[in-house]
Amino acid sequence: MKKIEHLERLTANQYLNLYKATGKNKVNKNFTYYVASRAKDVKDLKMKTRKNSPDGVIIFSLYGDKKDQVVLVRQYRTSIDDYIYEFPAGLVELDEDYKAAGIREMKEETGLTFIPLPVDAMYEKPYFTTIGMTDESCATIYGYSQGEPNVKGLEENEELEVIIADRREVRRILKEENVAIMCAYMLMHFLHSKDGFDFLK
């Protein structure tokens, strides 16, 4: 097993930083690895705290009288210089409960009021997003949204539109559009479930 001997923060940004890890690999040779993290400092990295607290929250929400539509956002992402379909999501603030964060983020991003659904903890616990390059983890919350979509609560650097998609549109999106992988997998479940949340039972 690798032995990390030194950690160094290389950037000082508000939401995301780059860290350099150096040490010895399993055959005792020097290695260097770079990790992107939401951590504010070395002491806050998950490899130091050994705690998997969610950095963010993903919101899987059904919509409509029949609860047969899903709330998505089509958002511009600088990393691909293009638009991508995702679930509404956002960062969990310091000392904020992730369900409260989800309700807040849904309102800010879509204008909708979100009502969380109680589910088994294993479905909501934080899971790692892209472990090869970051220690970021996100919790997922499930529920229903109501109201009229609007983007009045967006920050000036956010560029997105709210998409209310039925199963036909979800199929088109999966076939033709850029889709975040976590969103794509859950949309596949949505396509084949009777009430949208069968997979949670």
Side-chain angles (χ1 to χ4, degrees), residues 77-185:
R77 291 294 194 179
T78 306
S79 56
I80 57 173
D81 189 27
D82 204 350
Y83 287 86
I84 187 168
Y85 285 77
E86 305 172 77
F87 285 123
L91 296 179
V92 178
E93 296 177 356
L94 185 65
D95 297 325
E96 183 181 33
D97 175 80
Y98 65 86
K99 287 186 181 178
I103 293 168
R104 174 181 55 75
E105 286 289 348
M106 180 64 96
K107 180 62 77 172
E108 290 174 3
E109 287 196 353
T110 72
L112 299 172
T113 299
F114 179 71
I115 300 125
L117 182 69
V119 300
D120 191 295
M122 72 175 174
Y123 296 113
E124 291 183 332
K125 71 178 241 186
Y127 290 102
F128 292 100
T129 56
T130 313
I131 198 61
M133 67 178 193
T134 179
D135 67 352
E136 180 189 61
S137 67
C138 290
T140 305
I141 55 175
Y142 308 84
Y144 305 101
S145 288
Q146 57 191 26
E148 291 299 318
N150 69 73
V151 292
K152 295 176 183 175
L154 293 184
E155 296 177 9
E156 62 180 19
N157 286 328
E158 291 180 303
E159 188 176 336
L160 64 79
E161 62 180 301
V162 182
I163 306 293
I164 306 296
D166 60 15
R167 285 179 173 83
R168 182 176 179 181
E169 177 63 3
V170 165
R171 285 185 181 277
R172 187 200 69 76
I173 289 168
L174 288 173
K175 287 179 181 179
E176 300 176 9
E177 304 288 353
N178 293 323
V179 185
I181 192 166
M182 294 172 287
C183 178
Y185 283 145

Side-chain angles (χ1 to χ4, degrees), residues 34-62:
Y34 296 91
V35 178
S37 180
R38 304 287 186 184
K40 301 296 184 188
D41 210 333
V42 167
K43 65 179 174 53
D44 302 315
L45 288 167
K46 290 187 173 76
M47 68 175 76
K48 297 295 284 185
T49 67
R50 301 294 175 176
K51 293 180 181 177
N52 184 13
S53 301
D55 301 290
V57 62
I58 299 166
I59 309 145
F60 184 179
S61 178
L62 300 184

Side-chain angles (χ1 to χ4, degrees), residues 1-29:
M1 183 174 170
K2 288 183 178 178
K3 181 180 179 183
I4 298 170
E5 297 175 336
H6 183 69
L7 289 165
E8 178 185 0
R9 190 180 73 180
L10 301 180
T11 59
N13 299 312
Q14 184 175 4
Y15 298 114
L16 184 68
N17 283 290
L18 185 64
Y19 292 83
K20 180 181 178 182
T22 54
K24 302 289 185 184
N25 66 15
K26 65 181 181 181
V27 293
N28 207 36
K29 290 185 178 178

